[in-house]
């Protein structure tokens, strides 16, 4: 077996033919695969100093080679070879329409056919340079000959050819041809009689396991470096990253996804199979420059440590323990924890106490919502946006404000909602039940119980065939009472003696060896002190545990002034990017608006003038005025009670009398219309009053 790096053009060129053997699968590349190959070709064209590696091509002689003509069985690489052939046919057909390149070395119809598509000196079965399987081959032959496609054509062959035709319409054919000639493959030639092509094919394909994203990224990062640098970079950085995520490739993929998301603040998180390609595209220049690559690897390793601390790390300090409390909720919170860690460890803008409080609030948010049964779909993007909102200077304030401003569907549950769920719902069947009981047992204790050895115990058994003692304790409606209360928080505890307790009576559960009377579990203190166990006892214990839960998992309390300041900064940022001149106005309304705007900005220099789609709003810090241009004047929506504005001018109207104000984005108590500067003078005291209320409340 011989393997060398060669340009793809040199493999396919010459009097040669590649035949896809019968045991190969049908052509299966999707448009997404074609798009990636297209991107690679354009990238290769843009880099005149390096080729672009696209994989391997493995083949063996068919055994029926003639003088001056060689036929090969294509063992591996048929997908990329077929796709490149489709691109070359599309390029040939495109040139037939627009004309061949005027460049001396550029693409022409004749060159493409002679070098890549046909053996022009051969006829019949030998003419095509690529022979596919059955229906795929009939479709390829039709495209190659420029004939009508067969009725039973290959959909993917047709669609991918058409995809490339469409792409070629927007790119210089010379660029595409240059990129094609810079594609590099590992050319693996097998020797017949020595190498077993079937065995090699099976080793390449039959496992069905592709290279992991971490493998692909590692090879991308290290392969182009000198051997000494490869060894050093692997030892200093990559081996340590691999160790952090050992046994958890999915977590590594999620880390790279979230790392890229933080850098680009993307509005859509990547799928797991997109991570490598996006990483490669973003860090292509760093991969070629050691001075860029080493800082990248250093940053990756640092952020990987932050990520792993929450997802798979071993807690060994206060922050580590609190981060580990989030682990049961999956990796969805890791992007936020990673950003908080960066502010705490690298920037020093987040104190240890602030970091721990943020982690406690994240846990409380997740546990409360899970126990209440609120929506979890879409968490990934919502937490990504939360991470984006955490700036480097005031991370804790930004964190609190954004958590308080989560969309209604993802709002932080109130204490009332949490208490109701704790007292009135089936807690046992919630995914967070054990997490809840474990927290009630150990949080705040310097001697935590070994809860990993415990299971959940129902004091009142859940077996519907209750013994007489339990039926008597529950009364005549014992069946209904059991169904109502058996899975409530007040009836649940933790124990290492679950099988021992079984469905015994309450007295036996207390008195047997290892029973409640001997239990060191703190959750069992209230149980062992009771003489009997009935609905009243369950209800009373539930109230006690619910109040403790409200302390362990606190609610969110944020200063409204802080939220207001952050919202104002956001409006300022938006205002800097927008221009009132972009809003369509008549000449008359533009003149009036310019007068009013100048007076407002002169009188209130700190206000924010925020252009919208059809109106301009004013904030200082709260909203107090919206100006809506009309054909012959301006409509104003003023955040002022009509009883106060009516005393200023007869131009004022009660907004409650208006069911709809065209183009308005805000609401206020007063509506008015001005059509000249004198009317602006008349109503301006009302605007001053609205501003004073907005700036002081």
């Amino acid at each position: 077996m011989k393997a060398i790096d060669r340009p793809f053009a040199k493999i396919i060129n010459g009097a040669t033919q590649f035949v896809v053997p019968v045991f190969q699968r049908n052509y299966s590349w999707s448009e997404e695969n074609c798009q990636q190959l297209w991107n690679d070709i354009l990238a290769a064209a843009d880099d005149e100093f390096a080729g672009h590696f696209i994989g391997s091509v493995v083949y063996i002689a068919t055994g029926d080679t003639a003088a001056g003509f060689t036929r090969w069985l294509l063992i591996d690489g048929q997908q990329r070879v077929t796709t490149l052939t489709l691109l070359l046919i599309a390029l040939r057909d495109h040139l037939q329409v627009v004309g061949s390149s005027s460049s001396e070395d550029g693409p022409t119809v004749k060159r493409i056919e002679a070098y890549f598509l046909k053996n022009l000196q051969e006829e019949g079965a030998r003419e095509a340079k690529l022979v596919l399987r059955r229906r795929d081959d009939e479709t390829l032959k039709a495209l190659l000959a420029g004939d009508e496609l067969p009725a039973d054509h290959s959909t993917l062959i047709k669609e991918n050819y058409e995809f490339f035709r469409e792409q070629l319409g927007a790119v210089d054919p010379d660029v595409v041809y240059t990129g094609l000639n810079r594609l590099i493959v590992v050319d693996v030639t097998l020797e017949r009689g020595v190498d077993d092509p079937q065995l090699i094919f099976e080793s390449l394909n039959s496992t069905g396991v592709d290279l992991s994203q971490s493998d692909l990224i590692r090879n991308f990062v290290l392969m182009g470096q000198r051997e000494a640098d490869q060894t050093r970079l692997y030892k200093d950085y990559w081996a340590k990253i691999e160790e952090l995520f050992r046994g958890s490739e999915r977590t590594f993929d999620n880390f790279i996804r979230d790392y890229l998301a933080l850098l680009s603040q993307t509005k859509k998180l990547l799928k797991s199979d997109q991570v490598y390609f996006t990483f490669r595209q973003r860090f292509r220049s760093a991969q070629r420059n050691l001075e860029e690559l080493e800082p990248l690897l250093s940053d990756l390793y640092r952020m990987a440590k932050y990520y792993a601390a929450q997802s798979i790390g071993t807690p060994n300090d206060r922050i580590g323990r609190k981060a580990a409390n989030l682990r049961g909720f999956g990796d969805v919170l890791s992007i936020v924890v990673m950003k908080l860690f960066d502010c705490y460890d690298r920037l020093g803008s987040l104190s240890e106490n602030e970091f721990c409080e943020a982690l406690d609030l994240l846990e409380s948010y997740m546990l409360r919502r899970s126990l209440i049964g609120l929506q979890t779909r879409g968490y990934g993007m919502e937490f990504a946006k939360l991470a984006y909102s955490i700036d480097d200077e005031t991370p804790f304030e930004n964190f609190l404000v954004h958590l308080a401003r989560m969309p209604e569907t993802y709002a932080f549950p109130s204490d009332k909602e949490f208490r109701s769920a704790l007292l009135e719902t089936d807690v046992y069947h919630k995914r967070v039940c054990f997490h809840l009981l474990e927290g009630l047992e150990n949080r705040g204790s310097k001697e935590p119980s070994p809860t990993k050895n415990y299971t959940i115990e129902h004091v009142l058994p859940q077996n519907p065939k209750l013994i007489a003692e339990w039926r008597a304790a529950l009364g005549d409606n014992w069946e209904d009472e059991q169904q109502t209360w058996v899975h409530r928080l007040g009836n649940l505890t933790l124990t290492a003696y679950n099988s021992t307790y079984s469905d015994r009576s309450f007295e036996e559960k207390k008195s047997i060896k290892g029973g409640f009377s001997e239990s060191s579990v703190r959750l069992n203190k209230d149980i062992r002190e009771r003489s009997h166990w009935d609905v009243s006892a369950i209800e009373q214990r539930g109230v006690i545990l619910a109040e403790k839960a409200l302390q362990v998992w606190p609610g969110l309390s944020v200063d409204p002034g802080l939220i207001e300041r952050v919202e104002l900064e956001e409006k300022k940022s938006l205002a800097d990017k927008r221009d009132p001149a972009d809003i369509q106005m008549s000449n008359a309304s533009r003149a009036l608006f310019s007068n009013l705007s100048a007076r407002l900005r002169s009188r209130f220099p700190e206000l924010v003038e925020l252009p919208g789609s059809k109106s301009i709003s004013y904030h200082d810090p709260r909203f107090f005025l919206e100006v809506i241009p009309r054909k012959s004047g301006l409509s104003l929506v003023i955040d002022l009670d009509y009883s106060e504005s009516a005393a200023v001018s007869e131009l004022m109207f009660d907004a409650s009398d208006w069911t709809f104000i065209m183009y308005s984005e805000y609401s206020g108590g007063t509506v008015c219309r001005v059509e000249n500067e004198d009317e602006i003078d008349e109503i301006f005291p009302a605007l001053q009053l609205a501003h004073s209320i907005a700036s002081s409340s």
Side-chain angles (χ1 to χ4, degrees):
M1 181 170 64
K2 298 177 182 179
I4 58 173
D5 291 350
R6 293 183 65 190
F8 169 75
K10 291 189 178 297
I11 293 178
I12 203 73
N13 198 359
T16 189
Q17 184 180 73
F18 288 93
V19 180
V20 174
V22 68
F23 53 79
Q24 276 276 28
R25 62 182 178 176
N26 291 326
Y27 179 68
S28 61
W29 268 24
S30 66
E31 181 176 311
E32 185 176 1
N33 299 131
C34 294
Q35 180 68 64
Q36 187 59 53
L37 179 62
W38 178 259
N39 293 342
D40 290 343
I41 289 169
L42 297 184
D46 191 47
D47 188 351
E48 62 180 306
F49 298 108
H52 193 91
F53 175 69
I54 60 168
S56 61
V57 177
V58 183
Y59 51 94
I60 189 170
T62 61
D64 59 349
T65 297
F69 179 79
T70 307
R71 297 183 75 238
W72 305 96
L73 281 176
L74 190 55
I75 304 301
D76 189 64
Q78 70 129 324
Q79 301 292 331
R80 62 181 64 90
V81 171
T82 303
T83 306
L84 285 168
T85 300
L86 292 175
L87 171 55
L88 285 158
I89 295 173
L91 179 58
R92 178 202 66 182
D93 295 349
H94 178 71
L95 291 172
Q96 287 175 340
V97 175
V98 302
S100 296
S101 170
S102 59
S103 170
E104 181 178 349
D105 297 319
T108 66
V109 172
K110 183 177 179 180
R111 281 176 180 157
I112 291 172
E113 288 210 329
Y115 295 167
F116 302 105
L117 300 178
K118 297 179 180 179
N119 297 306
L120 297 180
Q121 303 304 315
E122 303 293 337
E123 296 178 351
R126 292 186 176 186
E127 183 180 21
K129 287 186 176 291
L130 177 64
V131 179
L132 302 181
R133 299 175 69 234
R134 296 184 292 275
R135 187 176 59 167
D136 287 346
D137 192 51
E138 294 301 314
T139 309
L140 183 66
K141 283 180 179 177
L143 289 173
L144 195 58
D147 295 336
E148 185 177 342
L149 297 182
D152 187 29
H153 62 264
S154 166
T155 302
L156 284 176
I157 294 282
K158 172 181 177 290
E159 289 178 350
N160 290 347
Y161 163 79
E162 291 174 346
F163 168 81
F164 288 125
R165 283 299 303 270
E166 181 179 350
Q167 301 305 308
L168 285 162
V171 179
D172 185 349
D174 283 20
V175 172
V176 178
Y177 194 66
T178 299
L180 280 164
N181 281 286
R182 289 178 180 166
L183 297 182
I184 304 297
V185 299
V186 175
D187 179 5
V188 182
T189 310
L190 307 182
E191 185 176 349
R192 182 166 294 279
V194 176
D195 301 310
D196 184 342
Q198 178 66 16
L199 182 63
I200 291 173
F201 170 75
E202 289 177 357
S203 68
L204 288 168
N205 295 280
S206 65
T207 61
V209 179
D210 295 328
L211 287 173
S212 69
Q213 298 294 292
S214 61
D215 290 332
L216 292 167
I217 292 172
R218 180 192 62 228
N219 293 351
F220 167 75
V221 167
L222 300 177
M223 189 176 293
Q225 311 307 314
R226 294 181 306 168
E227 183 178 0
D229 290 329
Q230 283 182 354
T231 302
R232 179 178 62 82
L233 293 174
Y234 180 80
K235 179 180 178 182
D236 291 348
Y237 304 108
W238 199 264
K240 295 176 181 178
I241 294 173
E242 287 184 329
E243 186 60 33
L244 288 171
F245 298 106
R246 187 171 302 281
S248 185
E249 293 290 352
R250 185 183 66 84
T251 303
F252 175 89
D253 294 349
N254 290 345
F255 159 62
I256 296 295
R257 177 201 65 197
D258 290 347
Y259 179 79
L260 291 170
L262 274 181
L263 290 179
S264 63
Q265 299 206 356
T266 179
K267 294 182 179 180
K268 184 178 181 180
L269 294 178
L270 296 170
K271 296 179 181 179
S272 60
D273 59 355
Q274 297 172 326
V275 169
Y276 164 65
F277 294 113
T278 305
F279 184 93
R280 184 180 68 181
Q281 185 174 2
R282 182 176 182 90
F283 296 113
R284 188 182 300 278
S285 64
Q287 187 258 357
R288 300 168 182 162
N289 186 340
L290 190 60
E291 291 183 0
E292 290 183 45
L293 180 60
E294 188 150 7
L296 167 61
L297 285 172
S298 177
D299 194 56
L300 270 175
Y301 176 46
R302 179 175 57 82
M303 297 295 271
K305 287 189 290 184
Y306 301 157
Y307 201 89
Q310 185 265 312
S311 57
I312 52 180
T314 302
N316 53 14
D317 57 14
R318 182 185 174 203
I319 291 173
R321 288 191 295 272
K322 288 185 178 293
N325 289 336
L326 304 176
R327 196 166 298 163
F329 302 107
D331 296 338
V332 71
L333 292 169
S334 297
I335 189 171
V336 182
V337 177
M338 180 167 60
K339 177 60 180 178
L340 291 170
F341 247 123
D342 188 42
C343 294
Y344 167 74
D345 182 57
R346 180 177 67 90
L347 299 171
S349 55
L350 188 72
S351 70
E352 180 178 335
N353 286 338
E354 288 173 333
F355 195 177
C356 289
E357 185 177 344
L359 295 174
D360 285 342
L361 285 170
L362 287 174
E363 183 191 1
S364 179
Y365 174 88
M366 294 296 286
L367 183 130
R368 286 176 176 227
R369 288 183 59 85
S370 182
L371 198 68
I372 294 169
L374 297 175
Q375 175 174 308
T376 61
R377 185 177 57 188
Y379 267 171
M381 197 61 242
E382 289 305 318
F383 286 119
K385 288 188 286 189
L386 173 57
Y388 303 161
S389 76
I390 301 172
D391 72 6
D392 292 346
E393 289 75 31
T394 56
F396 188 60
E397 289 185 356
N398 293 127
F399 169 81
L400 290 177
V401 169
H402 189 90
L403 201 57
R405 296 174 61 205
M406 293 283 267
E408 185 177 354
T409 309
Y410 299 97
F412 198 116
S414 66
D415 286 355
K416 181 180 179 181
E417 292 172 304
F418 187 34
R419 182 185 288 108
S420 176
L422 289 164
L423 294 176
E424 300 171 11
T425 64
D426 174 349
V427 173
Y428 176 68
H429 289 105
K430 301 291 185 182
R431 186 175 61 86
V432 292
C433 182
F434 190 90
H435 186 103
L436 173 70
L437 294 173
E438 190 277 335
L440 291 171
E441 172 67 17
N442 283 333
R443 299 297 170 85
S445 173
K446 294 183 179 179
E447 295 181 310
S449 300
T451 52
K452 66 179 181 180
N453 301 319
Y454 294 172
T455 57
I456 299 173
E457 162 71 10
H458 291 77
V459 183
L460 165 66
Q462 56 181 326
N463 187 341
K465 298 179 180 180
L466 290 178
I467 61 175
E469 289 87 342
W470 281 116
R471 296 199 301 271
L474 295 178
D476 293 340
N477 293 326
W478 65 269
E479 290 176 306
D480 291 340
E481 298 288 18
Q482 181 195 32
Q483 186 174 11
T484 300
W485 292 96
V486 68
H487 298 312
R488 296 280 181 92
L489 176 61
N491 191 52
L492 304 176
T493 190
L494 295 174
T495 182
Y497 293 91
N498 197 299
S499 59
T500 302
Y501 290 162
S502 187
D503 297 331
R504 296 173 185 270
S505 69
F506 182 62
E507 283 299 323
E508 285 186 283
K509 286 190 175 188
K510 286 179 62 178
S511 60
I512 60 173
K513 183 175 178 57
F516 290 130
S517 295
E518 297 181 359
S519 175
S520 61
V521 176
R522 283 175 285 272
L523 278 173
N524 293 334
K525 179 177 182 299
D526 185 65
I527 299 172
R528 64 173 172 261
E529 291 176 352
R530 291 186 176 271
S531 59
H532 62 282
W533 196 257
D534 55 14
V535 168
S536 177
I538 294 173
E539 190 171 17
Q540 291 173 22
R541 182 170 177 267
V543 171
I544 294 171
L545 293 181
E547 291 308 310
K548 183 175 182 181
L550 286 163
Q551 300 302 314
V552 174
W553 294 282
L556 179 64
S557 177
V558 185
D559 180 2
L562 178 59
I563 297 175
E564 208 168 67
R565 288 197 299 274
V566 171
E567 289 178 341
L568 188 64
E569 289 302 315
E570 289 179 353
K571 289 181 173 66
K572 287 180 180 178
S573 178
L574 279 176
D576 290 340
K577 300 173 184 176
R578 299 176 181 177
D579 189 344
D582 295 333
I583 297 178
Q584 187 174 358
M585 302 184 197
S586 67
N587 291 335
S589 61
R590 178 74 66 186
L592 280 175
F593 170 74
S594 297
N595 178 283
L596 176 59
S597 174
R599 292 188 62 173
L600 287 168
R601 287 185 282 110
S602 174
R603 183 67 181 82
F604 313 118
E606 298 301 318
L607 65 70
V608 175
E609 184 179 67
L610 179 61
S613 59
K614 298 284 187 179
S615 67
I616 304 95
S617 60
Y618 293 85
H619 312 258
D620 193 13
R622 293 195 305 110
F623 162 76
F624 70 94
L625 172 67
E626 181 180 23
V627 179
I628 308 166
R630 304 300 186 194
K631 186 175 181 180
S632 59
L634 304 172
S635 290
L636 307 182
V637 177
I638 308 170
D639 193 18
L640 184 65
D641 190 87
Y642 174 65
S643 62
E644 296 182 272
S645 65
V648 175
S649 170
E650 293 182 354
L651 296 172
M652 304 298 180
F653 296 91
D654 190 342
S656 63
D657 294 336
W658 295 58
T659 57
F660 174 71
I661 302 174
M662 185 175 292
Y663 302 142
S664 177
E665 298 179 10
Y666 293 84
S667 59
T670 298
V671 177
C672 79
R673 183 182 179 98
V674 294
E675 296 187 349
N676 57 61
E677 294 183 7
D678 290 340
E679 290 178 341
I680 291 178
D681 292 338
E682 182 178 333
I683 60 94
F684 202 79
L687 304 187
Q688 290 179 299
L689 181 57
H691 173 269
S692 67
I693 295 171
S695 60
S696 61
S697 59

